[in-house]
Amino acid sequence: MTSATKTAGVGAPARPGTAAGGGALAGTGTLVRFALRRDRVRLPVWILALLLGTLSTANSYAELYGTPEDRANAVETMGSPAGLAMSGPRHYLDDYTSGAMLGHQMLGFTAVLVGLMSVLVITRHTRAEEETGRAELLRSTVVGRHAHLAAALSVAALANLVLGLLLALGLGGLGIDGVDAGGSLLYGAAHAAVGLVFAGVAAVTAQLTAHARGATGTALAVIGAAYVLRAAGDSGESGALSWLSPIGWAQRTYVYVDDDWWPLLLCLALAAGCAATGFALSTRRDVGAGIRPQKPGRPVASPALGTPLGLALRLHRGMLAGFGAGLFLMGAMYGSILGQAEDMLKDIDQLQEALERIGGTGIAEAFASMVMVVVAVVAAVYVVMAALRARAEETAGRAEPLLATGLSRGRWAGSHLAVAMGGGTLALLVAGLGFGIAGAASTGDGVLVPRLVGAALAYAPALWVTVGVAAVLFGWFPRASAAAWIVPVYAFVVGYLGQILRFPGWMNNLSPFGHVPRLPAADLDWTPLLVLTLVAAGLVWLGLAGLRRRDLETK
C-alpha cells in the first residue's frame, strides 16, 4: 500500500469510537429499522394493552361514579393519607370529575408500566446486544459507537409518542363528561414524557454493568424509588418529596383539572440529561464491559455453586430479592387501607356486588380476597421470568458448556424451575406478611397476620401451574416460550377486572388462579389445591421430557 493510498484513508484503521466510513452515529437508521422489526409484536402488545386498559378504566369510572353524590363519597374516602399514597396529590379532589379521577388514580400506576416498557426496550437493544456478542459483530462493520444506544432511544421515543398520541385520541373520543380533548392530549403527553425519562435512566444503567439483567434491575429500582417518593410526598402535608419523582411531576400537571403543561418540561430536561450521560459514559468503557468494575470472585467457589440448584439460586437471587421487597411493600400498602375499605367501597354499587359474590363476613375480608389476586399475579410475573431464565441461558450459549459435562438436561432445567416455584412461594409469603402486618395495624385485629399469610400461600399451586406451562413451552416449543406471559395477564384481566365487569364464570375457570379458594373470605378447600399441584407436576414432567428430545438452540 502506497503512502498516497494511506493519506487518502483507504485501508487505514478507523479512529476509536467511530465507524469506518461514518461517524459515531453511523448506521443508526438501519439499527432502528432492525429493532422495530424485532419488536414488531412486543411493542404493539404493550401499547395496545396500556391503551385498552386506560380506556376501559375511564369508562368504568364514568359508570361507577355517575352522580355528584358518588364522586363526593369518593373524595371523602380518597382524601385519607393512605388513599392519597395509593393514588395522587390532593388537589385533584377539588374538582373530582371522571377525568380528574383518571388522572388522580391511574396516571401514577400506568406511568410505572410505561417506564417498564421503556426500560425493557433500551436494555434489549443495548446491553443485551453486547452481552450476546451481536453488538461487537455489528460494530466491526460501518456502525458507529453510539449507534446502538441512539437507535434504542429512538425506538423507545417512538413507542412512547405513539402511545401518548393514541391515549389522547382514544380518551378524547370517548365523550365522557370531564374528559375533554385538551386534557386528553396532556394525559397522553404525560405518559410519553415519563416514558422518555425512564428510557434515559436505562441508557445510563446500561453503561454501569456488563449484564442486561443488572441494567434492567437497576433501572426498575429507580422506577420503584420514584413511585415510593411520589406516594410518600402525596400522603404528607407539604408534598415536597413528590417533586423529587418524575411520576410526581407528571401527576402535578393536574390533568383534567388545571391542565398545567410546564411540569413536563422537567421530565424532558431529565430525559435529555440522562440520555447525554448515557452517551458520555459509553465512551469510557469497552464494548461488553461496564463502568462499574466487576468484583473479583473468591479464590475457591462455595460448594453450593458446584450443584445445579446452587448455581440457579445464585443466578436468580437478585431478581428474587427485588420481587420479594416489592411484594412486601405492595402488601403493606394495601394493608394500610384495609381498615378503611368499608368506608371507601360502601357507596360503589358495582364493587359492592363484586365483593358480595366473593363472600366473607365483611367488606374488609372480601376486599382482601380481591387484592390477593393482584398480589398473586405480580408473583406470577416473577415465576414466568424465573422459569424462562433457562431459555435465556440456552440461547446465550451458556447452557451448552454446562451440559457438555456430566450434568443432565433434566437436572439443569429442573434447577431453574425449582427456584421459580420455591421463589414464587417465598414471594407470596412475604407479600402476605406485609399485607397482614399492615392490615392488623390498620384494623387492630392481630389475627389477620396468619390469615392473610395463609390466603397468599393458597395461590402457590397456581404459581406452580404457571411454571409448568412455561416448562412445556420451553421443552417442546422453545421459540414460543414468551407465550407463557399469557397466564398472568389473563389471570389479572379475568380474576380481578372480571369481578368488577361481570365476566362469565367459565372464563375464570380457564385460569389456574380461578380455582384457588378466595381466602380469607371463603373457606379453605384442599381439593382444588391438590389438583393444581398434580397438574403442575405433570406439566413440569412433560416440559422436561420435551427438552430431552430436542436440540439446543443457540443464537
Side-chain angles (χ1 to χ4, degrees):
M1 184 180 295
T2 65
S3 59
T5 305
K6 290 182 180 179
T7 303
V10 179
R15 291 177 298 167
T18 65
L25 296 176
T28 300
T30 302
L31 290 178
V32 168
R33 293 192 296 273
F34 180 52
L36 291 174
R37 175 82 168 88
R38 292 178 61 196
D39 286 350
R40 65 188 183 277
V41 175
R42 285 181 175 87
L43 285 180
V45 169
W46 267 105
I47 293 172
L48 189 61
L50 290 169
L51 175 64
L52 294 180
T54 300
L55 297 181
S56 63
T57 302
N59 280 319
S60 298
Y61 284 155
E63 295 177 3
L64 294 174
Y65 304 94
T67 66
E69 292 77 12
D70 293 335
R71 292 191 289 273
N73 291 328
V75 168
E76 182 179 350
T77 55
M78 296 303 296
S80 65
L84 294 173
M86 294 289 292
S87 52
R90 187 182 298 273
H91 181 57
Y92 281 97
L93 303 178
D94 295 341
D95 185 17
Y96 218 40
T97 62
S98 296
M101 295 177 70
L102 189 66
H104 187 224
Q105 299 183 32
M106 279 294 293
L107 182 53
F109 173 71
T110 51
V112 172
L113 299 179
V114 173
L116 175 60
M117 177 187 72
S118 299
V119 166
L120 294 178
V121 168
I122 297 297
T123 56
R124 172 175 166 79
H125 296 296
T126 55
R127 177 51 66 182
E129 292 295 287
E130 294 187 40
E131 191 173 0
T132 57
R134 290 189 291 265
E136 188 172 10
L137 179 63
L138 289 174
R139 291 267 294 272
S140 67
T141 64
V142 187
V143 173
R145 182 180 187 93
H146 296 318
H148 275 94
L149 181 55
L153 288 170
S154 299
V155 172
L158 179 61
N160 282 289
L161 291 175
V162 170
L163 173 63
L165 180 60
L166 291 178
L167 285 173
L169 295 175
L171 290 171
L174 289 178
I176 297 176
D177 186 32
V179 181
D180 55 16
S184 299
L185 183 62
L186 177 56
Y187 189 87
H191 284 77
V194 172
L196 292 176
V197 169
F198 290 118
V201 169
V204 174
T205 62
Q207 315 307 319
L208 301 180
T209 176
H211 302 287
R213 286 181 176 268
T216 302
T218 305
L220 294 183
V222 174
I223 295 177
Y227 187 85
V228 170
L229 286 172
R230 195 282 310 159
D234 290 340
S235 62
E237 291 294 331
S238 64
L241 288 176
S242 296
W243 286 104
L244 301 177
S245 167
I247 298 176
W249 300 342
Q251 285 194 319
R252 270 153 181 76
T253 58
Y254 296 118
V255 58
Y256 299 117
V257 179
D258 295 336
D259 287 343
D260 292 331
W261 284 80
W262 70 265
L264 297 188
L265 297 177
L266 299 175
C267 292
L268 296 179
L270 180 58
C274 288
T277 302
F279 283 115
L281 290 177
S282 69
T283 63
R284 297 177 176 271
R285 65 177 182 84
D286 293 330
V287 178
I291 292 291
R292 185 177 60 192
Q294 293 184 349
K295 296 180 180 179
R298 297 178 180 178
V300 179
S302 65
L305 288 179
T307 65
L309 184 60
L311 178 59
L313 280 171
R314 179 65 174 267
L315 294 175
H316 289 262
R317 65 180 182 179
M319 184 171 62
L320 177 58
F323 268 90
L327 279 168
F328 182 85
L329 292 175
M330 180 182 179
M333 291 180 66
Y334 277 117
S336 66
I337 63 173
L338 191 58
Q340 307 167 24
E342 186 167 356
D343 292 332
M344 292 175 61
L345 306 175
K346 64 182 180 180
D347 298 311
I348 307 176
D349 295 336
Q350 198 164 350
L351 282 176
Q352 284 279 3
E353 293 175 4
L355 294 175
E356 288 175 2
R357 289 194 294 270
I358 293 175
T361 58
I363 291 181
E365 283 189 351
F367 176 73
S369 301
M370 182 178 288
V371 167
M372 282 300 175
V373 176
V374 182
V375 171
V377 167
V378 175
V381 171
Y382 161 75
V383 302
V384 171
M385 294 178 68
L388 294 182
R389 178 61 186 266
R391 173 62 177 167
E393 295 292 301
E394 177 190 2
T395 56
R398 292 187 291 268
E400 194 169 2
L402 291 175
L403 297 176
T405 65
L407 178 63
S408 67
R409 294 189 181 191
R411 291 183 64 200
W412 167 72
S415 64
H416 288 281
L417 299 179
V419 172
M421 298 171 79
T425 305
L426 181 61
L428 288 176
L429 175 63
V430 297
L433 191 60
F435 199 178
I437 293 174
S442 175
T443 61
D445 185 5
V447 179
L448 280 176
V449 177
R451 293 186 66 193
L452 292 178
V453 169
L457 290 176
Y459 282 92
L463 290 186
W464 301 341
V465 172
T466 305
V467 173
V469 172
V472 170
L473 291 171
F474 169 60
W476 291 93
F477 313 101
R479 296 188 180 183
S481 296
W485 288 106
I486 294 175
V487 179
V489 172
Y490 185 85
F492 175 76
V493 172
V494 175
Y496 181 70
L497 297 180
Q499 292 287 336
I500 301 173
L501 303 178
R502 300 180 183 178
F503 287 179
W506 63 265
M507 293 184 66
N508 198 39
N509 293 332
L510 297 178
S511 168
F513 297 84
H515 298 278
V516 177
R518 304 297 292 270
L519 303 176
D523 295 329
L524 177 61
D525 185 0
W526 287 100
T527 301
L529 301 183
L530 293 175
V531 171
L532 288 173
T533 302
L534 293 175
V535 170
L539 290 174
V540 169
W541 176 86
L542 182 61
L544 294 178
L547 178 62
R548 296 188 189 98
R549 286 167 170 78
R550 69 171 177 85
D551 293 332
L552 292 180
E553 296 182 2
T554 302
K555 292 181 181 179

